[in-house]
Amino acid sequence: SQTIHQWPATLVQPVGSPLSLECTVEGTSNPNLYWYRQAAGRGLQLLFYSVGIGQISSEVPQNLSASRPQDRQFILSSKKLLLSDSGFYLCAWSPLRENYGYTFGSGTRLTVV
Amino acid sequence: KQEVTQIPAALSVPEGENLVLNCSFTDSAIYNLQWFRQDPGKGLTSLLLIQSSQREQTSGRLNASLDKSSGRSTLYIAASQPGDSATYLCAVRGFNNAGNMLTFGGGTRLMVKP
């Protein structure tokens, strides 16, 4: 069966520090991968998606970047965090075929202080 | 651009009640619609996935319907329990956007009182 792992679960980082959040999927190959952010009291915002290794699309301009160095690994990064980067970050995957649903990871609570 | 709306934003009911959560979307060009549950501080758990060709899906006490032509879906929860308290999110997967991505509603926060 397929599983998705996301870590760390919580993170407190000072303003200006770097960020690296990792997401891996097991039990499938060539998945579509997604990073979402959920700010306090707000809905889910799609940040990045990837349909293959090295293929990254960004939905909104921001202080963050994403990379997909391996088929089932998706990394969210920042060189210098801002206070506004605080939020709940969720990784998700779906099969290539559009008639399948999404599966989400357990999320990372990021607080920038 | 697809827009998804969920009504009500919050709902409080006594235990045992049957309840309906509503979801509407503006673009009927969708592959499917998915209902999720989110507990505070947790990720999203998929509850039901309805393909565009389907009218409803059932899982236990949950029943989700889809009327694609009118852009509506409902999630029916029978005999609600305190453990059902959570935020419920609907999301549509459309083929009029790049990457066929999910578009989420704002969610309905449900509280079931013992």
Side-chain angles (χ1 to χ4, degrees), chain A residues 32 34 36 38 41 43-44 46 49 51 59 88 90 94-107 109, chain B residues 31-32 34 36 38-46 49 51 89 93 95 98-106 109:
Chain A
N32 287 349
Y34 311 87
Y36 283 84
Q38 191 175 37
L44 279 154
L46 178 65
Y49 69 93
V51 298
E59 283 297 289
F88 191 51
L90 288 157
S94 71
L96 276 180
R97 292 181 61 182
E98 296 84 0
N99 58 340
Y100 285 83
Y102 280 37
T103 301
F104 281 79
S106 55
R109 172 71 59 192
Chain B
Y31 287 108
N32 51 53
Q34 200 167 357
F36 294 91
Q38 185 177 29
D39 293 289
K42 304 295 184 182
L44 275 63
T45 300
S46 181
L49 173 70
Q51 302 299 337
L89 295 155
R93 190 167 190 178
F95 50 84
N100 308 123
M101 294 164 295
L102 284 184
T103 303
F104 280 88
R109 185 181 302 174

Side-chain angles (χ1 to χ4, degrees), chain A residues 1-94:
Chain A
S1 64
Q2 302 92 357
T3 56
I4 180 168
H5 303 281
Q6 191 179 339
W7 68 92
T10 59
L11 194 58
V12 180
Q13 292 284 98
V15 169
S17 64
L19 173 74
S20 181
L21 302 181
E22 188 162 345
C23 173
T24 60
V25 180
E26 296 179 355
T28 187
S29 59
N30 201 22
N32 287 349
L33 296 171
Y34 311 87
W35 279 111
Y36 283 84
R37 176 170 58 199
Q38 191 175 37
R42 301 181 66 179
L44 279 154
Q45 179 186 35
L46 178 65
L47 301 176
F48 300 97
Y49 69 93
S50 172
V51 298
I53 295 174
Q55 300 179 61
I56 309 294
S57 296
S58 175
E59 283 297 289
V60 293
Q62 59 204 309
N63 184 43
L64 302 169
S65 62
S67 62
R68 184 170 177 173
Q70 299 180 41
D71 180 46
R72 289 169 290 178
Q73 183 185 31
F74 204 22
I75 297 172
L76 183 68
S77 304
S78 173
K79 292 182 179 178
K80 291 185 178 181
L81 283 169
L82 306 172
L83 287 174
S84 58
D85 292 324
S86 294
F88 191 51
Y89 289 83
L90 288 157
C91 180
W93 80 274
S94 71

Side-chain angles (χ1 to χ4, degrees), chain B:
Chain B
K1 179 183 176 184
Q2 178 76 269
E3 293 183 1
V4 182
T5 304
Q6 290 188 245
I7 296 174
L11 183 63
S12 181
V13 300
E15 181 177 5
E17 273 203 7
N18 302 325
L19 57 99
V20 174
L21 308 182
N22 296 292
C23 173
S24 62
F25 48 95
T26 56
D27 188 347
S28 61
I30 65 170
Y31 287 108
N32 51 53
L33 182 145
Q34 200 167 357
W35 281 94
F36 294 91
R37 168 185 173 139
Q38 185 177 29
D39 293 289
K42 304 295 184 182
L44 275 63
T45 300
S46 181
L47 298 174
L48 290 163
L49 173 70
I50 312 177
Q51 302 299 337
S52 61
S53 59
Q54 297 175 322
R55 294 290 252 178
E56 65 178 325
Q57 282 283 339
T58 298
S59 176
R61 294 182 295 107
L62 305 179
N63 176 278
S65 68
L66 174 64
D67 184 341
K68 193 177 72 167
S69 61
S70 67
R72 296 175 186 272
S73 175
T74 61
L75 179 66
Y76 175 83
I77 303 177
S80 58
Q81 304 170 358
D84 295 329
S85 299
T87 296
Y88 291 80
L89 295 155
C90 74
V92 296
R93 190 167 190 178
F95 50 84
N96 283 338
N97 59 13
N100 308 123
M101 294 164 295
L102 284 184
T103 303
F104 280 88
T108 294
R109 185 181 302 174
L110 173 65
M111 178 173 290
V112 181
K113 298 180 179 179

